[in-house]
Amino acid sequence: MTQSRLSYLQAFPLFAIMLVFLVIPTVMIVAVSFWDYNAFSIIPDFIWDNYDFLLTSPVTWQAYGTTFFYALTSWALTLVIGFTAAYYMAFHLRTTKAQTICFLLATIPFLTSNIIRMISWIPLLGRNGLVNQALLSMGLIDNPLEFLLYSDFSVILAFVHLYTLFMVVPIFNSMMRIDRKLVEAAIDAGASPLQVLTQVIIPLSKSGITIGTIFVFTLVMGDFITVRLMSGGLSASVGVLIYNEITLLQYPAAAAGAVTLLLTVLMMLAILFRFANIREDL
Amino acid sequence: MVKETKKDGKMSRRSFLGKAAVATAAVAAAPVITGFPTVWAQNIKNIKLRQFGTGTASVNAIAEKVKADLGFTIEMTALDSDAVVQRAVTQPKSYDIADIEYWVCKKVYPSGVIQPMDTSKIKLYDKISPLFKTGQLTPGADIAQGTAPHTVGFVEKKADTAFAKRETQWMTLIPTIYNADTLGIRPDLVGRPITNWRDIMDPAFKGKTSILNIPSIGIMDAAMICESMGVIKYGDKGNMTRDEIDKTIEVLKKAKKDGQFRAFWKSFDESVNLMSSGEVVIQSMWSPAVAAVRAKGIPCKYQPLEEGYRAWGGGLGIARHLSGLELDAAYEYFNWYISGWAGAYLNRQGYYSAAPSTSKQYMSENEWNYWMEGKAATADIVSPEGVTMEKKGAIRDGGSYDERMGHVACWNSVMDENKYMIRKWNEFIAS
């Protein structure tokens, strides 16, 4: 067997899996998004109605607005927190052992499920929750803080809590590859700590930051359960709208929503990939 | 997203033998007691019927009692209301018996996944409440708005997928359970008497109210509220025009913008948590959820309101694919269901039995008087699980069966403008 045939054979299992579990379902979703439907069945057809309604409805734009707001805010916060944590682990912890321990500690919360970690915030943040009780008993506030739960605040808090690690890991990974001699050289050349950070470390961690950004963005954009639970059902992201449509058997409308969301995320990824050479960094 | 699956565990050999003996005894006693198996005693124990539905009626206690009384197995799966519709329509082969609500039936039945049943095979058919046959609790009573069970209860012929206008020989669902819903309140926190649906919009409760986010039910609660506020007069709350839907959603949107609501709930547990944690003090709620809050030692009242109740009913339907022995077993199961034990069980949970008179013999006088007659309890009222629900002297919220079911303003429904309504509801949630 020739070399090239052998390589095709090696790639085939993954190709088959992707074809069956990704490509075909996606094609089906695209097809269904043009179908018609009524209360209890979907009707094979080719209509623009689903997209027409979706793209002209103010609800969609509002939901996209909310979704981008959540995505950008969560991204900015996870980036600052994740970068700081990764920087500490990569440059301040001297031994590999300390780094490993620190890294494992960061991953421990991931032994419980996403949803459990999320809903455990609810008794903490509620009107009569632990935070309000503590603040009241310390005399810092007179009335319970209402914005702590069922608000944008609680949604973003949950996102940051859930997804910061997705920022830490790739940034830490790319920081570990930075040649320490470059930092020394910068210091020798008279660079201030801030200059070292902005002109050496950040540019060299760029690919890690980009990968982390991709993780956080795609996770937040597609999320519906965090938004529904933490906002108490008061806010709707694009994911929540799609989820609502699915539970109400409006599959074609949900498919149209999903295709639009997919295209949006793909466009964002296309932009982000210009900042990093993924193949080189993974 | 709350999905729970309840399944019968495997039985030990000893308990199986015990139950088989009971089943055999039951077969022997068949001519005397109605509702027990009459034939096929030999292979009956191999039969397993897969039933799914909302958590309200799909309870293991009933499955266990069926096993003991009839000998075959009912495997129960509990899902939330939306998931029930989805499963019923999209996976008809995955169940044998569908425990669905009447308003859902209007969506599910036309898709042809449920076969109607022959009422001549239902031995206690005449004991079933007239609410399910004519829509009237007593002759001459008003028929409530919405999808009243009798409007989707029958078809003309076995093969039909369109509903009949009157009582026929072919019933779509065998009614099992129903109730009249109203608002739940925290009497210790509201600080004043609650008498009307509009009270949920009182600015005094700003940020402390909730309604449920299941559009078909939520819109009905909203309609009760709007009508009570005097801002909209509906032709039929259960079948609104586009204009009425628009107006209703506007009222909701405005209330949401003004911060009237604390949250919207979708599952039973969410409503219990909102109420027991004190996040809300007045919200739309289901009767057993009120009981669940009270069981935690927190005061909670199922408040009867001047405008009346919003009712719902559920029943069991047979999957189209069921035939032969399994179909016979299904009929046997339905006959058993309305023969009293199950009805008494449901009555004790605060719901109503489809054949109230048969369940009387399975309840103590005190229980019957408390749950059905609206009289003060002469002894503690104990739940089917053995938990004390009410102390001696307590009177049921809303009074007797006739008082409650006689004051139904509308039934949960599916409107002709369902698609439009759901779009508008999504708009409200996203606003």
Side-chain angles (χ1 to χ4, degrees), chain B residues 53-118:
Chain B
T54 54
T56 44
S58 296
V59 285
N60 277 341
I62 288 176
E64 280 161 23
K65 187 68 179 165
V66 170
K67 184 79 196 173
D69 282 357
L70 306 179
F72 53 81
T73 305
I74 304 281
E75 188 187 84
M76 302 274 195
T77 306
L79 306 168
D80 67 57
S81 310
D82 287 337
V84 164
V85 188
Q86 233 180 64
R87 173 124 174 224
V89 176
T90 58
Q91 300 163 50
K93 291 266 185 320
S94 75
Y95 57 87
D96 304 312
I97 293 174
D99 161 21
I100 51 185
E101 288 169 56
Y102 277 92
W103 61 278
V104 167
C105 183
K106 197 170 170 185
K107 277 198 241 182
V108 172
Y109 197 81
S111 65
V113 293
I114 306 286
Q115 56 172 305
M117 52 207 108
D118 187 346

Side-chain angles (χ1 to χ4, degrees), chain B residues 101 152 272:
Chain B
E101 288 169 56
V152 293
V272 173

Side-chain angles (χ1 to χ4, degrees), chain B residues 228-246:
Chain B
S228 167
M229 290 165 78
V231 292
I232 305 170
K233 182 93 188 93
Y234 298 92
D236 178 355
K237 286 186 282 299
N239 200 5
M240 300 182 194
T241 61
R242 286 196 173 208
D243 190 42
E244 286 169 342
I245 294 171
D246 286 348

Side-chain angles (χ1 to χ4, degrees), chain B residues 208-340:
Chain B
K208 293 180 178 176
T209 70
S210 174
I211 58 172
L212 78 176
N213 180 15
I214 299 173
S216 312
I217 310 177
I219 194 85
M220 303 296 278
D221 280 348
M224 296 294 283
I225 293 165
C226 290
E227 207 167 57
S228 167
M229 290 165 78
V231 292
I232 305 170
K233 182 93 188 93
Y234 298 92
D236 178 355
K237 286 186 282 299
N239 200 5
M240 300 182 194
T241 61
R242 286 196 173 208
D243 190 42
E244 286 169 342
I245 294 171
D246 286 348
K247 282 185 187 158
T248 313
I249 297 289
E250 279 314 309
V251 173
L252 287 178
K253 270 174 149 173
K254 182 167 181 305
K256 185 183 175 192
K257 206 163 157 243
D258 294 344
Q260 189 68 16
F261 303 117
R262 180 67 168 143
F264 302 128
W265 59 268
K266 200 152 191 163
S267 73
F268 182 90
D269 307 351
E270 282 177 296
S271 76
V272 173
N273 289 337
L274 283 173
M275 209 63 167
S276 52
S277 65
E279 293 294 337
V280 307
V281 298
I282 176 168
Q283 66 171 351
S284 44
M285 220 173 170
W286 294 333
S287 165
V290 172
V293 175
R294 264 192 228 168
K296 295 182 178 182
I298 296 164
C300 190
K301 192 175 180 197
Y302 201 51
Q303 181 64 54
L305 302 164
E306 213 171 83
E307 295 85 2
Y309 297 87
R310 176 186 52 73
W312 57 271
L316 300 172
I318 310 178
R320 191 65 74 166
H321 67 82
L322 216 62
S323 61
L325 202 56
E326 286 182 329
L327 186 59
D328 290 343
Y331 274 108
E332 209 68 46
Y333 173 43
F334 298 152
N335 277 317
W336 173 87
Y337 215 113
I338 51 175
S339 71

